[in-house]
Amino acid sequence: SSSIGNALPKGSTYVLGFNEPNFKAQSDLTPQQAAADWPMIETHAKAVGAKIVSPAVNYCGSASACSDPTVTDPYTYLKDFLAACTGCEVDYVAVHWYNCDLPSLQAYLEGNLDAGGDLQGFVQFGKPIWLTEFSCDGSHSVADQKAYMEAAVPYLEKNPHVFRYSWFSAGPIANAELTNSGSLTDLGKAYVGLPQNCP
């Protein structure tokens, strides 16, 4: 949040809120702290006519890893943030997911309470979803990553609740990287080769 006061470049069309504020190792903000800073995000977004994307959340794990030890799930974090941020503008909901199968991704986004699961789904917020980070976790092979990608992308492309998505391609998950020294990896070639409907 040290750069929250910086002006946005002219022509910015979207502003993504805090990155994993519910993680101590990331933005480290309670829902109430994020809500207190949100008006500044709105001011900057409105100055350039940009749409606003919620804080990007995921399960933060154990209570000791979470910015608010009483809130370990992303659904509750977003509910608490929105309750504390009465009247705040949020055009999209941003989420992250690092599980390696399509059914868990579907349940995470759409919920599975009706089927006896414990995932509430982000469709409950009534906003288009940005899956700003997704891949298998670091324990999976490149082949696992590719199989998951080839299952997940067609689902995401067809899902009317999903506005945008982005594969996570960074050093912490080496087998998920799409590029290597500026060139596409085999996984990167698979990703760009999948059918997509770019607006």
Side-chain angles (χ1 to χ4, degrees):
S1 66
S2 62
S3 62
I4 195 169
N6 296 353
L8 297 170
K10 290 191 185 324
S12 298
T13 52
Y14 301 100
V15 176
L16 279 75
F18 306 108
N19 184 62
E20 296 180 348
N22 53 330
F23 287 62
K24 280 186 180 177
Q26 293 291 331
S27 294
D28 191 19
L29 298 166
T30 66
Q32 296 73 24
Q33 290 169 324
D37 287 341
W38 203 253
M40 190 175 295
I41 290 173
E42 287 184 9
T43 298
H44 291 305
K46 288 176 182 176
V48 296
K51 297 285 189 180
I52 305 172
V53 186
S54 79
V57 293
N58 194 354
Y59 280 92
C60 57
S62 66
S64 64
C66 301
S67 59
D68 179 344
T70 65
V71 179
T72 59
D73 76 271
Y75 309 113
T76 300
Y77 185 94
L78 273 182
K79 285 178 196 173
D80 290 354
F81 165 76
L82 293 169
C85 207
T86 306
C88 289
E89 186 173 334
V90 175
D91 299 303
Y92 304 91
V93 171
V95 302
H96 300 164
W97 188 241
Y98 291 99
N99 212 343
C100 201
D101 66 273
L102 182 57
S104 70
L105 174 62
Q106 290 172 312
Y108 183 62
L109 297 179
E110 298 178 37
N112 65 3
L113 298 176
D114 292 344
D118 61 357
L119 297 172
Q120 299 172 30
F122 290 97
V123 296
Q124 69 178 299
F125 297 101
K127 306 281 184 187
I129 298 168
W130 274 35
L131 180 60
T132 57
E133 295 179 14
F134 81 106
S135 73
C136 300
D137 65 33
S139 69
H140 291 273
S141 68
V142 173
D144 290 343
Q145 300 281 356
K146 184 178 179 188
Y148 176 50
M149 175 189 288
E150 289 175 340
V153 168
Y155 159 74
L156 295 168
E157 284 287 332
K158 292 177 186 168
N159 189 318
H161 302 291
V162 176
F163 180 68
R164 296 272 192 277
Y165 62 87
S166 179
W167 186 261
F168 182 78
S169 177
I173 305 178
N175 286 340
E177 289 185 354
L178 301 177
T179 62
N180 184 5
S181 302
S183 298
L184 288 174
T185 62
D186 287 341
L187 187 63
K189 290 174 187 172
Y191 188 58
V192 298
L194 289 168
Q196 51 192 285
N197 300 312
C198 297

